[in-house]
Amino acid sequence: MISFLDLNIINKPYEEAFQNKLKQVMNSGWYILGEEVKAFEENFANCCNSKYCIGVGNGLDAITLSFLAYIENGNLQKGDEIIVPANTYIASILGILHAGLVPVLVEPDIESYNINPKLIEEKISTKTKGILVVHLYGQLANMDEIIEIGFKYDLLIVEDCAQAHGLNFKGSHTRTFSFYPGKNLGAIGDGGAIVTNDEKLSNTILKLRNYGSEKKYYNELIGFNSRLDELQAAFLSCKLPNLFFENEKRRVVAKRYLSEIKNEKIKLPSCLDINNHVFHLFVIRTDNREELQAYLFNNGVHTLIHYPVPPHKQKALKEWNDLSFPITEKIHKEVLSLPMSPVMTDDEVSKVIEVLNNY
Ligand SMILES: *Cc1c(COP(=O)(O)O)cnc(C)c1O
């Protein structure tokens, strides 16, 4: 069986380095917000061409704390509206809600799966103060048009980069990351980070993640406990130097899928520029998804669905259940994620292609 994603194989090359780090951190006797977090934050800021990086507990907190910090600093107010793609993982929307802001959903472009900039302006009201862009499946959203709209309406732009580590980002917006194990840069547990060039924002998030405190036992803000773990930071530092190489390996797999999968029942994802995509996922569409998924499984290819239920149809968001986002709904009915990872062998890729072409 070709697995969808084998984290054990992905992390195997780092085993010895991880064990050394574990010993080192353990013996240091300092387990929270120490040298490893500091070192990783510095390297990750560099990797994102950003001035500041703040490690936090996970990707959802990274979104929530970014928006809360903008509120704390007076750039946003509770109740402000934030534009967000209707077609995203629910965490993007939850982060906005947890900050006391109002998500306003916008339909995606069916080819790229990312937010359709042409549909943003009609959703802008006097209360709209920001856009949360999501680079879904690892593909850069249409930033040129989004930045233009942001400029025209004076909107804050935050980017949810949980699926887009190592992408060629455009503009100098605040960006949020997740290091959930399955992401392109994944920890051995939970982790997240925010990168920004805004020093004041960075300082506010540094407090918010640590009980609202800069100086121990002195609390300036109603803060949280959401810190990147010292041990996870140490593990991430072992993997970070290989991020660009691993993304390149994902591109090699994607290039083969794009050029060799030939079956009229299968719609391949659009990819305008392979260098603006880090292929966190390779997502195809088909009319008869459950049938295709079963066929692939019976032929030794494991696939997953990202995601089966759109956010506005979730029980948690009952008040939106009757809203209609036909493109988002169509995508959620048709998508299927093929095996994709930096450790897939040529033979495995060939097998996936062969089985798909015989369908
Ligand atoms: C994974 C993910 C998140 C949340 O990250 P966690 O670390 O699991 O909290 C947010 N947004 C998107 C688009 C994601 O894929």
Side-chain angles (χ1 to χ4, degrees), residues 15 18 62 67 72 97 114 136 142 164 186 196-197 202 221 249 267 276 298 354 358:
E15 192 173 354
F18 287 170
F67 282 119
E72 196 63 55
L97 287 170
N114 272 325
L136 199 68
N142 190 333
T196 184
N197 284 342
S202 167
L221 305 173
K249 291 187 111 177
K267 295 174 200 81
N276 283 334
N298 292 332
E354 186 195 314
N358 288 335

Side-chain angles (χ1 to χ4, degrees), residues 67-237:
F67 282 119
L68 282 171
Y70 275 124
I71 292 171
E72 196 63 55
N73 289 355
N75 303 98
L76 291 174
Q77 288 186 323
K78 298 260 172 198
D80 283 348
E81 291 177 2
I82 306 293
I83 300 281
V84 63
N87 184 50
T88 182
Y89 180 56
I90 196 167
S92 317
I93 290 161
L94 295 180
I96 297 170
L97 287 170
H98 287 317
L101 300 164
V102 179
V104 175
L105 307 186
V106 171
E107 284 267 62
D109 166 49
I110 194 145
E111 299 298 332
S112 73
Y113 306 122
N114 272 325
I115 194 166
N116 184 344
K118 306 265 179 303
L119 303 177
I120 293 178
E121 280 195 85
E122 65 194 55
K123 294 291 184 92
I124 290 179
S125 77
T126 52
K127 285 183 164 174
T128 310
K129 293 289 166 349
I131 305 179
L132 179 63
V133 180
V134 183
H135 306 296
L136 199 68
Y137 307 148
Q139 176 152 241
L140 188 76
N142 190 333
M143 290 308 289
D144 293 340
E145 287 186 43
I146 293 168
I147 289 168
E148 203 170 299
I149 295 166
F151 189 73
K152 183 170 166 191
Y153 294 92
D154 195 19
L155 307 176
L156 272 174
I157 297 178
V158 177
E159 296 172 57
D160 178 350
C161 305
Q163 304 189 358
H165 315 70
L167 202 60
N168 283 322
F169 297 114
K170 290 191 177 176
S172 61
H173 316 116
T174 294
R175 304 193 166 96
T176 67
F177 291 87
S178 160
F179 305 119
Y180 179 81
K183 309 289 187 183
N184 286 30
L185 180 62
I188 315 298
D190 275 312
I194 298 118
V195 302
T196 184
N197 284 342
D198 181 337
E199 186 181 8
K200 195 173 166 206
L201 190 82
S202 167
N203 287 335
T204 304
I205 298 172
L206 281 172
K207 290 175 200 163
L208 283 175
R209 77 168 175 187
N210 192 28
Y211 297 112
S213 152
E214 192 177 350
K215 188 173 162 200
K216 204 169 186 182
Y217 304 129
Y218 292 82
N219 305 82
E220 297 169 50
L221 305 173
I222 311 260
F224 298 80
N225 176 354
S226 181
R227 303 171 294 216
L228 177 62
D229 194 85
E230 187 72 355
L231 207 45
Q232 297 305 335
F235 295 153
L236 289 166
S237 288

